[in-house]
Short mmCIF file of all heavy atoms in Angstrom, two decimals:
data_model
loop_
_atom_site.label_atom_id
_atom_site.label_comp_id
_atom_site.label_asym_id
_atom_site.label_seq_id
_atom_site.Cartn_x
_atom_site.Cartn_y
_atom_site.Cartn_z
N ASP A 1 -10.49 6.11 19.05
CA ASP A 1 -10.79 7.45 19.87
C ASP A 1 -9.54 7.85 20.56
O ASP A 1 -9.32 9.10 20.67
CB ASP A 1 -11.79 7.06 20.93
CG ASP A 1 -13.28 6.76 20.36
OD1 ASP A 1 -13.53 7.33 19.16
OD2 ASP A 1 -14.03 6.18 20.99
N ASP A 2 -8.61 6.93 20.97
CA ASP A 2 -7.29 7.30 21.53
C ASP A 2 -6.39 7.63 20.38
O ASP A 2 -5.62 8.63 20.49
CB ASP A 2 -6.73 6.11 22.27
CG ASP A 2 -7.27 6.04 23.74
OD1 ASP A 2 -8.19 6.91 24.07
OD2 ASP A 2 -6.95 5.12 24.49
N TRP A 3 -6.41 6.95 19.39
CA TRP A 3 -5.49 7.20 18.20
C TRP A 3 -5.48 8.59 17.69
O TRP A 3 -4.59 9.16 17.30
CB TRP A 3 -5.67 6.13 17.17
CG TRP A 3 -5.05 6.34 15.80
CD1 TRP A 3 -3.91 6.07 15.39
CD2 TRP A 3 -5.72 6.91 14.71
NE1 TRP A 3 -3.64 6.47 14.07
CE2 TRP A 3 -4.77 6.94 13.63
CE3 TRP A 3 -7.02 7.45 14.38
CZ2 TRP A 3 -5.11 7.43 12.27
CZ3 TRP A 3 -7.24 7.98 13.17
CH2 TRP A 3 -6.25 7.95 12.17
N VAL A 4 -6.78 9.17 17.61
CA VAL A 4 -6.98 10.46 17.02
C VAL A 4 -6.69 11.51 17.92
O VAL A 4 -6.37 12.80 17.46
CB VAL A 4 -8.37 10.62 16.52
CG1 VAL A 4 -9.39 10.99 17.76
CG2 VAL A 4 -8.59 11.56 15.46
N ILE A 5 -6.36 11.39 19.26
CA ILE A 5 -5.96 12.43 20.19
C ILE A 5 -4.68 13.00 19.68
O ILE A 5 -4.60 14.40 19.73
CB ILE A 5 -6.09 11.87 21.67
CG1 ILE A 5 -7.35 11.63 22.09
CG2 ILE A 5 -5.39 12.96 22.63
CD1 ILE A 5 -7.52 10.99 23.48
N PRO A 6 -3.54 12.44 19.56
CA PRO A 6 -2.40 13.07 19.06
C PRO A 6 -2.53 13.70 17.72
O PRO A 6 -1.80 14.85 17.61
CB PRO A 6 -1.36 11.92 19.05
CG PRO A 6 -1.83 10.83 19.91
CD PRO A 6 -3.35 10.86 19.85
N ILE A 7 -3.38 13.34 16.87
CA ILE A 7 -3.49 13.87 15.56
C ILE A 7 -4.19 15.17 15.71
O ILE A 7 -3.84 16.21 15.18
CB ILE A 7 -4.40 12.90 14.58
CG1 ILE A 7 -3.60 11.69 14.28
CG2 ILE A 7 -4.76 13.72 13.35
CD1 ILE A 7 -4.42 10.73 13.51
N THR A 8 -5.16 15.22 16.54
CA THR A 8 -5.96 16.53 16.73
C THR A 8 -5.01 17.57 17.49
O THR A 8 -5.04 18.70 16.99
CB THR A 8 -7.25 16.17 17.78
OG1 THR A 8 -7.99 15.24 17.21
CG2 THR A 8 -7.99 17.50 18.05
N SER A 9 -4.21 17.07 18.48
CA SER A 9 -3.38 18.01 19.03
C SER A 9 -2.30 18.49 18.14
O SER A 9 -1.97 19.73 17.94
CB SER A 9 -2.58 17.35 20.28
OG SER A 9 -1.63 18.09 20.84
N ALA A 10 -1.43 17.69 17.39
CA ALA A 10 -0.47 18.07 16.46
C ALA A 10 -0.82 18.95 15.42
O ALA A 10 -0.20 19.89 15.12
CB ALA A 10 0.20 16.67 15.99
N PHE A 11 -2.00 18.67 14.90
CA PHE A 11 -2.44 19.50 13.71
C PHE A 11 -3.46 20.71 14.21
O PHE A 11 -3.91 21.42 13.33
CB PHE A 11 -3.19 18.61 12.66
CG PHE A 11 -2.33 17.67 11.80
CD1 PHE A 11 -2.46 16.35 12.15
CD2 PHE A 11 -1.45 18.16 11.03
CE1 PHE A 11 -1.54 15.56 11.45
CE2 PHE A 11 -0.58 17.43 10.40
CZ PHE A 11 -0.70 16.08 10.58
N GLU A 12 -3.72 20.85 15.43
CA GLU A 12 -4.51 21.77 16.03
C GLU A 12 -5.88 21.81 15.33
O GLU A 12 -6.32 22.83 14.91
CB GLU A 12 -3.85 23.17 15.90
CG GLU A 12 -2.56 23.19 16.91
CD GLU A 12 -1.95 24.61 16.79
OE1 GLU A 12 -2.11 25.34 15.82
OE2 GLU A 12 -1.30 24.97 17.80
N ALA A 13 -6.37 20.67 15.11
CA ALA A 13 -7.57 20.43 14.28
C ALA A 13 -8.91 20.95 15.12
O ALA A 13 -8.91 20.77 16.25
CB ALA A 13 -7.82 19.01 13.92
N ALA A 14 -9.73 21.51 14.29
CA ALA A 14 -11.05 21.91 14.88
C ALA A 14 -11.82 20.67 15.43
O ALA A 14 -11.62 19.58 14.80
CB ALA A 14 -11.85 22.66 13.92
N ALA A 15 -12.64 20.82 16.34
CA ALA A 15 -13.34 19.69 16.86
C ALA A 15 -14.17 18.94 15.77
O ALA A 15 -14.29 17.73 15.69
CB ALA A 15 -14.31 20.15 18.08
N GLN A 16 -14.79 19.83 14.93
CA GLN A 16 -15.66 19.21 13.75
C GLN A 16 -14.85 18.37 12.83
O GLN A 16 -15.26 17.22 12.47
CB GLN A 16 -16.30 20.41 13.02
CG GLN A 16 -17.22 19.75 11.90
CD GLN A 16 -17.89 21.06 11.22
OE1 GLN A 16 -17.81 22.15 11.58
NE2 GLN A 16 -18.55 20.71 10.04
N ASP A 17 -13.52 18.86 12.41
CA ASP A 17 -12.68 18.14 11.52
C ASP A 17 -12.12 16.89 12.17
O ASP A 17 -12.05 15.84 11.57
CB ASP A 17 -11.52 18.94 11.12
CG ASP A 17 -12.00 19.89 9.93
OD1 ASP A 17 -13.18 19.69 9.42
OD2 ASP A 17 -11.26 20.83 9.53
N SER A 18 -11.79 17.07 13.52
CA SER A 18 -11.30 15.82 14.10
C SER A 18 -12.38 14.71 14.28
O SER A 18 -11.98 13.49 14.10
CB SER A 18 -10.92 16.33 15.65
OG SER A 18 -10.44 15.14 16.39
N LYS A 19 -13.66 15.02 14.56
CA LYS A 19 -14.64 14.13 14.60
C LYS A 19 -14.89 13.38 13.27
O LYS A 19 -14.99 12.30 13.16
CB LYS A 19 -15.95 14.62 15.19
CG LYS A 19 -17.00 13.63 15.44
CD LYS A 19 -18.25 14.18 15.83
CE LYS A 19 -19.31 13.05 16.07
NZ LYS A 19 -19.71 12.26 14.92
N LEU A 20 -14.89 14.24 12.20
CA LEU A 20 -15.18 13.76 10.87
C LEU A 20 -13.98 12.80 10.51
O LEU A 20 -14.28 11.80 9.90
CB LEU A 20 -15.20 14.85 9.93
CG LEU A 20 -15.35 14.50 8.32
CD1 LEU A 20 -16.53 13.55 8.18
CD2 LEU A 20 -15.57 15.79 7.50
N TYR A 21 -12.71 13.16 10.77
CA TYR A 21 -11.61 12.33 10.43
C TYR A 21 -11.66 10.92 11.18
O TYR A 21 -11.40 9.94 10.60
CB TYR A 21 -10.22 13.05 10.73
CG TYR A 21 -9.08 12.28 10.25
CD1 TYR A 21 -8.94 12.28 8.78
CD2 TYR A 21 -8.06 11.74 10.92
CE1 TYR A 21 -7.82 11.50 8.18
CE2 TYR A 21 -6.92 11.02 10.32
CZ TYR A 21 -6.94 10.94 9.02
OH TYR A 21 -5.76 10.36 8.50
N LEU A 22 -12.14 11.10 12.39
CA LEU A 22 -12.18 9.87 13.30
C LEU A 22 -13.25 9.01 12.70
O LEU A 22 -13.16 7.80 12.58
CB LEU A 22 -12.60 10.30 14.68
CG LEU A 22 -13.00 9.11 15.62
CD1 LEU A 22 -11.77 8.20 15.81
CD2 LEU A 22 -13.32 9.71 17.08
N ASP A 23 -14.43 9.52 12.27
CA ASP A 23 -15.51 8.80 11.67
C ASP A 23 -15.02 8.08 10.38
O ASP A 23 -15.41 6.89 10.14
CB ASP A 23 -16.76 9.69 11.45
CG ASP A 23 -17.47 10.19 12.75
OD1 ASP A 23 -17.14 9.50 13.84
OD2 ASP A 23 -18.18 11.13 12.69
N LEU A 24 -14.40 8.86 9.57
CA LEU A 24 -13.81 8.25 8.35
C LEU A 24 -12.87 7.09 8.59
O LEU A 24 -12.85 6.15 7.95
CB LEU A 24 -13.15 9.41 7.58
CG LEU A 24 -14.18 10.57 6.96
CD1 LEU A 24 -13.14 11.56 6.30
CD2 LEU A 24 -14.93 9.96 5.85
N SER A 25 -11.95 7.30 9.63
CA SER A 25 -11.13 6.28 9.90
C SER A 25 -11.78 5.08 10.51
O SER A 25 -11.30 3.87 10.25
CB SER A 25 -10.03 6.91 10.96
OG SER A 25 -9.29 7.84 10.46
N LYS A 26 -12.85 5.26 11.33
CA LYS A 26 -13.63 4.06 11.85
C LYS A 26 -14.27 3.32 10.69
O LYS A 26 -14.36 2.16 10.69
CB LYS A 26 -14.51 4.51 12.85
CG LYS A 26 -14.01 4.99 14.19
CD LYS A 26 -15.11 5.27 15.21
CE LYS A 26 -14.39 5.56 16.57
NZ LYS A 26 -15.43 5.76 17.59
N LYS A 27 -14.80 4.14 9.84
CA LYS A 27 -15.44 3.39 8.66
C LYS A 27 -14.55 2.62 7.84
O LYS A 27 -14.83 1.45 7.38
CB LYS A 27 -16.18 4.44 7.83
CG LYS A 27 -16.87 3.94 6.52
CD LYS A 27 -17.52 5.08 5.74
CE LYS A 27 -18.17 4.58 4.54
NZ LYS A 27 -18.78 5.59 3.71
N ALA A 28 -13.33 3.12 7.65
CA ALA A 28 -12.26 2.52 6.77
C ALA A 28 -11.78 1.21 7.58
O ALA A 28 -11.57 0.27 6.90
CB ALA A 28 -11.05 3.43 6.46
N PHE A 29 -11.76 1.45 8.88
CA PHE A 29 -11.15 0.33 9.73
C PHE A 29 -12.20 -0.87 9.63
O PHE A 29 -11.72 -2.13 9.68
CB PHE A 29 -10.96 0.67 11.10
CG PHE A 29 -10.36 -0.40 11.99
CD1 PHE A 29 -8.98 -0.45 12.07
CD2 PHE A 29 -11.21 -1.13 12.75
CE1 PHE A 29 -8.38 -1.24 12.98
CE2 PHE A 29 -10.61 -2.08 13.61
CZ PHE A 29 -9.32 -2.21 13.72
N SER A 30 -13.41 -0.65 9.54
CA SER A 30 -14.40 -1.67 9.53
C SER A 30 -14.73 -2.26 8.17
O SER A 30 -15.40 -3.27 8.09
CB SER A 30 -15.74 -1.14 10.22
OG SER A 30 -15.44 -0.57 11.48
N SER A 31 -14.13 -1.66 7.18
CA SER A 31 -14.31 -2.18 5.85
C SER A 31 -13.58 -3.43 5.58
O SER A 31 -12.49 -3.80 6.08
CB SER A 31 -13.88 -1.09 4.82
OG SER A 31 -13.73 -1.60 3.42
N ASN A 32 -14.10 -4.33 4.67
CA ASN A 32 -13.57 -5.76 4.42
C ASN A 32 -12.27 -5.42 3.51
O ASN A 32 -11.45 -6.31 3.44
CB ASN A 32 -14.53 -6.45 3.65
CG ASN A 32 -15.66 -7.00 4.45
OD1 ASN A 32 -15.49 -7.12 5.63
ND2 ASN A 32 -16.82 -7.25 3.95
N SER A 33 -12.24 -4.26 2.99
CA SER A 33 -10.95 -3.90 2.06
C SER A 33 -9.94 -3.13 2.85
O SER A 33 -9.02 -2.60 2.17
CB SER A 33 -11.40 -3.25 0.86
OG SER A 33 -12.03 -1.88 1.08
#
């Protein structure tokens, strides 16, 4: 949640895209691979 804050700011990402990228990153982080 903290990691995505600079990404959202730097790319001026829309809230919907920012949340989706965060959700995808959390899913990848929790993966065994």
Side-chain angles (χ1 to χ4, degrees):
D1 291 336
D2 278 358
W3 167 83
V4 81
I5 290 174
I7 294 175
T8 303
S9 171
F11 289 110
E12 298 181 332
Q16 180 180 352
D17 279 350
S18 178
K19 183 180 185 306
L20 177 55
Y21 192 65
L22 175 60
D23 291 343
L24 291 173
S25 298
K26 285 184 175 182
K27 181 179 178 181
F29 185 86
S30 302
S31 169
N32 292 331
S33 60

